Amino acid sequence: MKEKIREFLDNIFGPVISFLDLGIEKLRGVRLVTAQGLNVGKYLSVFGDMPAAWQLVISSLLISTVLLGSLLLYRSVMRLYYSAKEGIKWW
């Protein structure tokens, strides 16, 4: 009886666990790529002919875009967290 329950639960949660294992493998692969470092200069070499002041403006715009994007992402994650917390509270 215990083995049938375990098999039933494995059939239910098997796809979820395999999806999470795949995500872990992909994240480990990304970590290896980012450990090498990112050469931003290769992508910004298009702006290398501009004066230094304009290069600073463009790099400031890019940095502020990344900062604002990460703040928006954090805000959306916190909204999901608080809505899930409220849903569990009244469940």
Side-chain angles (χ1 to χ4, degrees):
M1 181 73 174
K2 185 178 180 182
E3 293 155 1
K4 288 189 178 190
I5 293 173
R6 181 173 293 192
E7 183 180 330
F8 175 72
L9 289 176
D10 285 343
N11 286 337
I12 291 174
F13 294 111
V16 175
I17 291 172
S18 64
F19 178 74
L20 292 175
D21 288 338
L22 179 66
I24 289 171
E25 290 177 21
K26 294 294 182 182
L27 287 175
R28 285 184 182 152
V30 168
R31 183 181 64 185
L32 292 175
V33 171
T34 57
Q36 297 172 358
L38 180 65
N39 186 7
V40 181
K42 184 170 82 173
Y43 300 106
L44 297 178
S45 64
V46 176
F47 305 112
D49 294 334
M50 296 177 128
W54 281 106
Q55 289 179 6
L56 288 174
V57 167
I58 291 174
S59 64
S60 298
L61 286 173
L62 291 174
I63 290 171
S64 63
T65 303
V66 169
L67 179 66
L68 289 175
S70 61
L71 288 174
L72 286 172
L73 182 67
Y74 175 75
R75 185 179 73 175
S76 63
V77 167
M78 291 306 294
R79 280 185 181 174
L80 284 173
Y81 168 72
Y82 286 129
S83 63
K85 186 177 175 182
E86 285 294 319
I88 292 171
K89 180 180 174 182
W90 294 108
W91 181 27

